[in-house]
Amino acid sequence: EAGVAQSPRYKIIEKRQSVAFWCNPISGHATLYWYQQILGQGPKLLIQFQNNGVVDDSQLPKDRFSAERLKGVDSTLKIQPAKLEDSAVYLCASSRGGWIEAFFGQGTRLTVV
Amino acid sequence: QQQVKQSPQSLIVQKGGISIINCAYENTAFDYFPWYQQFPGKGPALLIAIRPDVSEKKEGRFTISFNKSAKQFSLHIMDSQPGDSATYFCAASIWGYQLTFGKGTKLSVIP
């Protein structure tokens, strides 16, 4: 089966600009996650969707980050305005749900200058 | 945010040796403990996982040991190979949701 697709792979923006990332999960996977992985650290969950509803967004900086999952399939994560500390790899993952294995995409490496 | 503490931060092992990575958790509600392997430029990939009702799980050269009373679990890589060189993350979750990762261990297996 095809894996989790993310785009773009790399993005460089200036601080205060906006940026959007796109994720296409594995077909049939109801659960979709966005993680932020800062260099040298483990991934940190930003938001989790179950179909098109939000399950957990407690660690999403809602003043600048937003995410949506239209029709329970593709998802976009937006940052507006970006800060230097947002430089990280943004990983999207999907699973059938619950204990079932979550599959990760290759991520989008964001550099804010 | 519930924590998962992972050690060591980095590990160098000779080819054929045993690599051991340890993790400790706080939340007794965690009921799923996966280990992920990540190569540079790639997303994490599930390596092996365990539920708290068993004390050990083995898959090939990889073994998870789980100590519920101590709230600790560890990954053992037997006969370590250069191809195992990667960053390993332990994680914990409740019902598979809200996966919380450790900070990672960079493993280098030298010939």
Side-chain angles (χ1 to χ4, degrees):
Chain A
E1 61 184 355
V4 176
Q6 289 189 247
S7 67
R9 284 296 313 275
Y10 306 93
K11 191 75 177 179
I12 301 175
I13 62 171
E14 295 183 350
K15 59 183 179 183
R16 292 188 290 274
Q17 284 188 324
S18 62
V19 64
F21 313 126
W22 174 82
C23 173
N24 179 233
I26 294 172
S27 177
H29 281 194
T31 307
L32 185 146
Y33 316 78
W34 282 102
Y35 283 86
Q36 179 192 58
Q37 186 174 20
I38 293 173
L39 186 65
Q41 297 185 20
K44 183 183 84 171
L45 179 67
L46 292 175
I47 188 168
Q48 178 176 329
F49 293 94
Q50 181 72 17
N51 295 308
N52 60 352
V54 175
V55 173
D56 181 11
D57 63 357
S58 58
Q59 297 193 91
L60 187 73
K62 298 181 186 62
D63 57 334
R64 299 184 300 108
F65 286 64
S66 65
E68 61 180 5
R69 189 181 185 194
L70 299 175
K71 299 181 181 178
V73 182
D74 292 3
S75 177
T76 56
L77 177 69
K78 297 179 181 178
I79 308 175
Q80 181 179 5
K83 293 184 175 181
L84 295 176
E85 58 261 37
D86 298 332
S87 294
V89 174
Y90 290 85
L91 294 163
C92 178
S94 71
S95 74
R96 294 193 184 276
W99 285 302
I100 307 303
E101 176 184 357
F103 292 85
F104 283 80
Q106 288 190 306
T108 296
R109 181 177 296 278
L110 172 68
T111 303
V112 182
V113 298
Chain B
Q1 172 68 8
Q2 302 297 335
Q3 287 189 332
V4 177
K5 296 181 180 179
Q6 183 172 348
S7 63
Q9 189 173 349
S10 62
L11 182 61
I12 299 174
V13 174
Q14 291 263 213
K15 178 182 175 181
I18 302 174
S19 304
I20 302 174
I21 304 171
N22 301 299
C23 283
Y25 63 96
E26 300 171 355
N27 187 353
T28 55
F30 285 144
D31 61 359
Y32 178 65
F33 301 90
W35 284 90
Y36 281 82
Q37 180 188 55
Q38 186 175 32
F39 292 104
K42 303 292 186 182
L46 181 67
L47 192 61
I48 187 173
I50 198 168
R51 305 258 180 93
D53 52 345
V54 297
S55 60
E56 186 175 281
K57 184 175 181 179
K58 184 177 181 179
E59 290 183 0
R61 296 184 294 109
F62 301 91
T63 300
I64 298 179
S65 297
F66 186 83
N67 186 329
K68 189 174 181 178
S69 61
K71 293 188 285 186
Q72 295 175 346
F73 58 111
S74 59
L75 176 69
H76 291 64
I77 305 174
M78 311 299 287
D79 187 27
S80 298
Q81 299 297 312
D84 297 330
S85 297
T87 299
Y88 293 80
F89 294 96
C90 62
S93 72
I94 303 170
W95 290 356
Y97 295 110
Q98 299 177 338
L99 204 58
T100 301
F101 285 82
K103 291 192 172 183
T105 296
K106 185 174 182 180
L107 172 65
S108 300
V109 181
I110 54 176

